[in-house]
Amino acid sequence: SALSGAACGGQAEAVERLLQAGLEVDQQDHYGSTALMAAAAAGHAEAARTLLKGGARADIESNARQTARSLAAAGGHDAVLEVLSVPNALPDMDAVSVGADINRTGNSTAPGVGQPDPGEELGGGGGHAVKVSRRPSRVSSSEL
């Protein structure tokens, strides 16, 4: 998609314009990849931050069970990992309403939400295994 292309190319301003034009922030391609995954894999922290501000979810998995976080880790993109962590990986508490209660620590009481899956690893390439944590990721602009 145009959004994934802009994200992969690190064009944060183009990403913002495309989101303002109404493109779906979490649209998945035939591999299940999103624009946030493209930005993370290519090491573009500003594009990732822009996508998160636009409501991108970092917990989406591709068909190969990879996430934006696992792709950034596999590529050694520490700046992207920082953008995907801090409070950025947690939802805006005002935006949470879909059947799961989030307590004050940001952990969900719904099964499998906000809790890491112990022992689950994905091959990250380059001989590195990446532990995956499935956590909601809605970011308010005040947190960035």
Side-chain angles (χ1 to χ4, degrees):
S1 74
L3 188 59
S4 289
C8 184
Q11 301 169 346
E13 290 179 11
V15 167
E16 187 169 352
R17 283 193 305 273
L18 290 167
L19 291 174
Q20 290 172 350
L23 268 64
E24 173 58 42
V25 69
D26 286 326
Q27 180 180 355
Q28 292 176 275
D29 64 17
H30 61 280
Y31 297 108
S33 296
T34 65
L36 183 59
M37 290 177 198
H44 295 299
E46 283 306 310
R49 185 184 323 274
T50 302
L51 288 161
L52 289 168
K53 282 182 180 180
R57 292 179 40 212
D59 63 325
I60 294 174
E61 291 184 344
S62 69
N63 298 347
R65 297 188 48 101
Q66 294 178 311
T67 63
R69 180 180 298 280
S70 69
L71 291 165
H77 302 302
D78 294 337
V80 176
L81 287 171
E82 186 176 326
V83 167
L84 294 171
S85 60
V86 196
N88 300 356
L90 296 175
D92 177 351
M93 293 304 160
D94 295 331
V96 175
S97 65
V98 186
D101 293 326
I102 305 285
N103 65 28
R104 290 186 182 268
T105 64
N107 293 321
S108 172
T109 57
V113 177
Q115 305 294 323
D117 294 334
E120 183 175 350
E121 293 184 1
L122 296 178
H128 300 286
V130 179
K131 287 221 185 240
V132 175
S133 173
R134 290 190 189 109
R135 295 171 44 174
S137 64
R138 173 86 85 221
V139 177
S140 72
S141 58
S142 64
E143 295 177 38
L144 297 175

